[in-house]
């Protein structure tokens, strides 16, 4: 039970930050904003690692996982930005193809779900790199989810 709580806390680090990155890509759609979002995410993660006194090895492992996850996220988020235009064109067509629109939604959402599963796995991997004391500290420094 405790491990699940810690795992969820670690997941709370990665998933919202991915969302912030996605918002940057989707809203502005220019690479410099995506790069700024990535820098912000890395800064947040490294700030938290500093707060919990992570070792150099732990920080390197977490940053490697983060780099991998961000590399996987970038094409999915860029595709999301393009999907909005495709969706618009399909809906505003003189003869919209409902099946094609639903296929597009299913295809793109399945890629995003896959990315979220990869983010969850990354959070679990982060959890494994931390000591019990670090997880306790992380609980204290992580903001509570807003409802």
């Amino acid at each position: 039970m405790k491990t699940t709580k810690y795992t969820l806390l670690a997941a709370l680090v990665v998933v919202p930050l991915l969302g912030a990155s996605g918002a940057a890509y989707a809203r502005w759609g220019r690479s410099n904003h995506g790069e700024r979002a990535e820098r912000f995410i890395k800064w947040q993660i490294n700030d938290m690692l500093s707060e919990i006194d992570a070792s150099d090895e732990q920080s390197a492992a977490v940053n490697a996982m983060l780099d991998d996850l961000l590399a996987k996220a970038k094409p999915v988020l860029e595709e999301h930005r393009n999907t909005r235009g495709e969706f618009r064109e399909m809906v505003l067509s003189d003869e919209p193809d409902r099946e094609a629109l639903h296929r597009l939604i299913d295809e793109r959402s399945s890629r995003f779900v896959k990315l979220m599963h990869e983010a969850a796995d990354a959070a679990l991997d982060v959890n494994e790199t931390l000591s019990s004391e670090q997880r306790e500290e992380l609980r204290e420094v992580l903001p509570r989810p807003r409802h």
Side-chain angles (χ1 to χ4, degrees):
M1 183 75 156
K2 286 184 180 182
T3 303
T4 302
K5 287 180 183 178
Y6 295 139
T7 299
L8 291 174
L9 287 171
L12 291 173
V13 174
V14 177
V15 174
L17 293 176
L18 264 179
S21 178
Y25 284 117
R27 183 168 178 194
W28 295 287
R30 296 189 307 229
S31 63
N32 65 332
H33 290 287
E35 291 167 9
R36 286 188 354 198
E38 285 184 27
R39 281 196 308 270
F40 175 75
I41 291 167
K42 288 179 180 185
W43 173 77
Q44 286 284 318
I45 295 292
N46 284 299
D47 188 52
M48 283 187 226
L49 289 170
S50 177
E51 285 284 328
I52 64 170
D53 297 320
S55 69
D56 291 342
E57 293 82 17
Q58 288 173 315
S59 294
V62 169
N63 277 290
M65 286 183 252
L66 180 59
D67 288 343
D68 182 56
L69 185 60
L70 290 172
K72 291 176 182 176
K74 190 172 184 174
V76 174
L77 298 172
E78 288 174 354
E79 184 177 72
H80 171 71
R81 186 188 75 229
N82 296 333
T83 299
R84 291 172 39 209
E86 291 176 55
F87 181 87
R88 180 183 181 276
E89 292 303 314
M90 292 174 94
V91 168
L92 297 177
S93 170
D94 288 338
E95 295 180 27
D97 182 342
R98 289 178 184 269
E99 289 181 23
L101 181 60
H102 286 281
R103 272 193 312 273
L104 175 70
I105 292 167
D106 291 342
E107 177 184 305
R108 301 298 164 83
S109 62
S110 69
R111 289 184 186 142
F112 193 76
V113 168
K114 181 181 177 197
L115 176 63
M116 296 312 294
H117 282 285
E118 290 176 359
D121 287 339
L124 292 170
D125 292 343
V126 167
N127 182 53
E128 291 174 1
T129 67
L130 303 177
S131 68
S132 296
E133 294 81 17
Q134 289 171 319
R135 285 190 290 271
E136 184 62 36
E137 288 179 49
L138 188 58
R139 269 210 314 216
E140 292 174 16
V141 298
L142 275 179
R144 297 236 181 253
R146 297 180 197 164
H147 299 285

